[in-house]
Each structure stands twice: as C-alpha cells, then as structure tokens.
Amino acid sequence: MSAAGTLDTRRWGVAPGGQEVCLYTLRLPGGAQVTLTNFGATLVGVQVPDREGVLGDVVLGHDRPEGYFSHDTSPYLGATVGRYANRIAGGRFVLDGRVVELPLNDGPHTLHGGPHGFDLRLWQARPVLTPEGPQVTFSRLSPHGEEGFPGTLRVWVTYSLTADPHPTLSLTYRAETDAATVVNLTNHTYWNLSAAPQSLVLDHDLTLHADHYTPALAGGIPTGEVRAVGDTPLDFRAGQRLGEAMARHAAELPGGYDHNVVVRGPAGTLRPAAVLRHPASGRELTVATTAPGLQVYTGNFLDGAVTGKGGQVHARHGAVCLETQHFPNSPNQPHFPSTRLAPGEVYESQTTFTFRTR
C-alpha cells in the first residue's frame, strides 16, 4: 500500500439494462476503507475504527448490487440523489414563466428527483489514485425532460478519501446545463456509528451548527418560514441524545426527525454542519458543507421490509441521514436560496465527512 492508500476496481454484477456494475474500494494506510458503486454513484460501505482500533462498517447498504435496483429494497441507501433532492410540492414549479410538471412519487409531491432519479441510474466512473489519496469521479448526462426536468444536465460527483489529519471522505458535486433548470444534489447515506446494524441510533449524540430551521407542513413541505430553533425540537446546538430528544418531543415528532435546518454561516463556504457521536464505540463523525441546509432524517420509514448486509433487517430508527442540501421546495419559495441553474453557470457543492474516535 502506498502512502496515499490504494484503489481497487472489480466487476460486481449487471444492471437491469445489461450494463456492468462495478465496485470501487478506496483504502487508507491507517485502515479506513470506503466502497462505492457506479450504480446510483452510491456509497456502499465505510469502514472506520472504534476507540480500540477495531474496524466496523458504519453505513447501511447491500452485499449485492441487486439490492440497489429498486426503491423497495433500497430507500436511497447511500445514493447520490437528484436532479432535485428532497421534495417539490405538487410536483410542479414555475421557471422563467413556464410551468414545469414532474411525476409524483411521494403522495401529491415529487421526492428526490422522481420515481427514476439519479439513484437508479448507471454512472460513468473514473477511479484515480492521487498523491492525497484515492478518489472516484462519477458522471452522467441527464437528458432534457428526464423525470420532467428541463435542460440537458451534465453532472459529476467526486468521492475522495484522505487521511490528513483524520480519515475524511469528501464529496464534490458539479453540474452544467444547456437550458435553465433547477438542481439540488445530495448523498443519502444512512449512518449508524455503532457498526452494529441491529442497534438503533437512539443512543447517538447529535450536535447541529444551526440556529434556524424551515418548519414544514404534513408531507414535509416547508411553510416558507425560517424560524429560530430555540425552544423547539430542532435545538441541537448544545448536543442532544437522539432517543431522549425524540421521547421528549414525541407529540411534535410523529415517527421521528425528518427536518431541514439552516446551516450556520454563509452558504458557499465549507463550514461545520453537524457532529454525530456514538459514546459506546467512541466513533465520531463531523459533517461540513458548502450547502445552505441539512436534512436530519432518523430512518422513520424503515419498517423491517428491507434486508441489508449480512441479512440484517433494517428497523425504524436503525440509522440517521445527514443530507446536505438546498431547502426543500425551493423552486416554489422565491426567498429561499435559489436552485436555478442557467447555461454558462456551474453548480458546485462540497460536503466532507471526517471520522475521529474519542
């Protein structure tokens, strides 16, 4: 293994369209390891040590590629989500005076780019071992009209694994279009730092660098208000145990958390967004992002119907997602940060996941 680590590629299976699905393994000299696949530009596994140095996989996923081919078996597990992450109310918005209609896949709304979004597409992959560490860039061309979105969109997602000074997984998103459109990309990894997927994340501590959030109606559609988190279930500024917070606010949180918070500091700059800790193992995950928002989702719709790695059944609250993003339904809320992308402009966003032990 070189000082920068290693990068291995192997055939993993065949996609529904007959194309080859590959698995990419990024390793650092200290033992941290990330596995990716070109189906959905998906994060399949993350192996990091606990305080005793024992490696464990801290994300939900599948042992075989077939598990990722349907939302019935993969509710966006580790996937790159687009063209528009989160929800668009009524599956419609007005762009430059023209009404855009999208297919509905979340009751009366469009969720995560529609029923056949980026997570169910095969991407091109370019693996490279750089002096800083291994990385893979996934790319695809989303044609005009795909899932109803206007404009032909070229999109790239680069996963980079580095070790200075702690193992850090960086995700860099980039997109260009030939006609005005909307773009909001994220990663939908389900984290469980215990590395024991049969355990729930109720024993995890969460800190959010967020002073405000966007209240939502039933169905997860923001009201348009930006409200201070003080005296609300979203006040994680000093850190809270997830299970205790959910129990304390059970009446206000039917099912758990599925909320967007406003990351403190200017969007477009890389700044802290969240810290997730598992006291029993000592693992700690720090999330930083250039995006304006972060969706906290406690796996409320995991109901035991999905079986993951090693035959493990994924139960409700078996993981937590920390999705860096633009605010939900931004195309219909003009005062939210804009998600409009025009020809000649470049959509860029970065998120980092840094692993430590305490």
Side-chain angles (χ1 to χ4, degrees):
M1 181 177 292
S2 74
T6 62
L7 197 162
D8 300 323
T9 302
R10 68 176 177 90
R11 186 179 185 274
W12 202 29
V14 179
Q19 309 99 319
E20 186 175 66
V21 178
C22 292
L23 197 68
Y24 306 87
T25 303
L26 291 61
R27 296 187 181 91
L28 294 177
Q33 174 179 305
V34 168
T35 51
L36 310 163
T37 181
N38 56 331
F39 191 86
T42 296
L43 180 59
V44 174
V46 176
Q47 298 257 357
V48 291
D50 63 11
R51 67 164 60 90
E52 305 300 329
V54 178
L55 290 173
D57 191 351
V58 297
V59 304
L60 304 191
H62 292 288
D63 292 320
R64 298 181 55 81
E66 291 80 5
Y68 294 99
F69 295 166
S70 166
H71 289 152
D72 292 335
T73 55
S74 180
Y76 308 97
L77 298 177
T80 296
V81 176
R83 181 178 302 194
Y84 195 94
N86 217 304
R87 295 168 176 87
I88 294 180
R92 70 191 303 273
F93 59 94
V94 177
L95 182 66
D96 297 345
R98 183 171 69 89
V99 176
V100 177
E101 300 277 357
L102 309 174
L104 307 179
N105 64 327
D106 186 43
H109 311 303
T110 299
L111 175 68
H112 292 331
H116 202 69
F118 288 1
D119 61 299
L120 296 181
R121 307 284 181 172
L122 196 73
W123 296 58
Q124 299 296 314
R126 185 172 65 87
V128 177
L129 184 59
T130 76
E132 292 74 32
Q135 71 174 36
V136 180
T137 296
F138 297 105
S139 61
R140 71 175 304 263
L141 185 72
S142 175
H144 171 75
E146 184 176 81
E147 297 298 276
F149 289 95
T152 297
L153 190 77
R154 293 186 178 274
V155 59
W156 299 263
V157 182
T158 298
Y159 291 81
S160 303
L161 186 62
T162 59
D164 186 18
H166 303 283
T168 298
L169 177 63
S170 300
L171 278 67
T172 303
Y173 306 91
R174 178 183 172 93
E176 299 175 352
T177 184
D178 66 355
T181 189
V182 295
V183 184
N184 181 26
L185 305 176
T186 194
N187 176 273
H188 206 292
T189 291
Y190 289 73
W191 300 98
N192 185 323
L193 299 184
S194 74
Q198 70 275 12
S199 300
L200 305 183
V201 293
L202 304 181
D203 62 349
H204 285 48
D205 295 334
L206 178 64
T207 301
L208 296 177
H209 297 276
D211 302 314
H212 298 83
Y213 75 109
T214 54
L217 304 168
I221 301 300
T223 63
E225 181 186 2
V226 177
R227 185 183 300 173
V229 299
D231 298 320
T232 78
L234 274 300
D235 191 357
F236 280 84
R237 292 173 293 180
Q240 294 193 68
R241 183 68 48 90
L242 273 172
E244 293 174 1
M246 290 164 64
R248 187 163 54 252
H249 300 288
E252 302 161 90
L253 299 171
Y257 284 96
D258 193 5
H259 296 73
N260 173 68
V261 298
V262 181
V263 179
R264 186 184 303 139
T269 62
L270 188 65
R271 66 225 191 272
V275 179
L276 184 68
R277 301 181 181 90
H278 183 241
S281 68
R283 292 187 181 95
E284 177 181 283
L285 168 63
T286 299
V287 183
T289 188
T290 62
L294 174 81
Q295 188 85 6
V296 179
Y297 169 56
T298 50
N300 311 330
F301 297 105
L302 298 176
D303 58 3
V306 174
T307 300
K309 301 168 188 172
Q312 179 59 49
V313 173
H314 295 325
R316 176 189 273 193
H317 307 149
V320 59
C321 300
L322 301 169
E323 306 159 60
T324 57
Q325 61 176 9
H326 273 267
F327 304 165
N329 200 35
S330 289
N332 292 310
Q333 295 287 356
H335 62 287
F336 282 0
S338 176
T339 56
R340 183 181 185 273
L341 183 69
E345 298 176 342
V346 177
Y347 171 97
E348 290 182 307
S349 181
Q350 183 183 13
T351 295
T352 62
F353 301 99
T354 300
F355 303 93
R356 299 177 176 86
T357 56
R358 301 290 184 185

